[in-house]
Amino acid sequence: MPQIRPITDLRNTTEISELCHARKEPVFITKNGYGDLVVMSMETYEALTAGRPAEKQGGMRLLTEKDAVWAGMLADVLTQHNIPFAKESSIGAGMALRAGSLLETIRFFVPASHLAAAKEIVDELFAGEQENEET
């Protein structure tokens, strides 16, 4: 079962650090009852990111990371533009089942040769999202 702690627990950094090292998995931090942060030891982070298959496939580059709702739309648009892509969950399927899909984001990878075109699509699709974040 994942550890879910309120943001006020971050005041005790030693306890959170010990918890992260002892459990060897991410600790989910909530703010006002909603998922806000994920904290983990460096060892856990390296273990989670070491074998990322999408990056190891010939020349794949990280395009973006989006919530699951927007990921479906982005996948459709990339397919319509004949841009090959790979996607992976930011927290893994097992953790998504345990922690809930609200904490999950999807990483998109595209071949280096398609990166510029794919970035234009992402910028166009999510331009309003960036403007909302700035205001």
Side-chain angles (χ1 to χ4, degrees):
M1 187 93 162
Q3 278 289 312
I4 301 173
R5 307 289 290 266
I7 199 163
T8 54
D9 283 6
L10 291 180
R11 292 180 185 146
N12 189 345
T13 56
T14 302
E15 179 186 341
I16 294 294
S17 175
E18 289 172 357
L19 180 64
C20 288
H21 287 282
R23 296 193 53 99
K24 297 186 183 348
E25 66 180 11
V27 175
F28 297 93
I29 306 297
T30 61
K31 182 177 179 183
N32 298 325
Y34 295 95
D36 187 47
L37 301 169
V38 177
V39 180
M40 66 186 84
S41 69
M42 291 296 293
E43 295 84 10
T44 301
Y45 175 77
E46 289 170 359
L48 288 173
T49 60
R52 290 164 61 178
E55 287 183 314
K56 293 188 176 189
Q57 296 172 3
M60 297 295 272
R61 301 288 185 260
L62 177 64
L63 172 62
T64 190
E65 188 170 331
K66 292 293 175 190
D67 292 332
V69 171
W70 297 112
M73 180 184 72
L74 179 56
D76 288 343
V77 173
L78 291 173
T79 300
Q80 290 170 7
H81 285 86
N82 296 317
I83 296 177
F85 64 91
K87 58 184 183 173
E88 68 178 23
S89 170
S90 61
I91 60 175
M95 189 60 75
L97 287 174
R98 293 173 71 188
S101 62
L102 293 179
L103 297 175
E104 183 180 28
T105 57
I106 308 297
R107 292 183 185 117
F108 282 82
F109 298 87
V110 297
S113 60
H114 290 84
L115 186 60
K119 280 188 175 186
E120 285 182 28
I121 291 170
V122 168
D123 290 345
E124 187 177 321
L125 282 175
F126 301 106
E129 181 181 285
Q130 292 171 351
E131 291 171 5
N132 290 337
E133 288 175 2
E134 293 172 0
T135 58

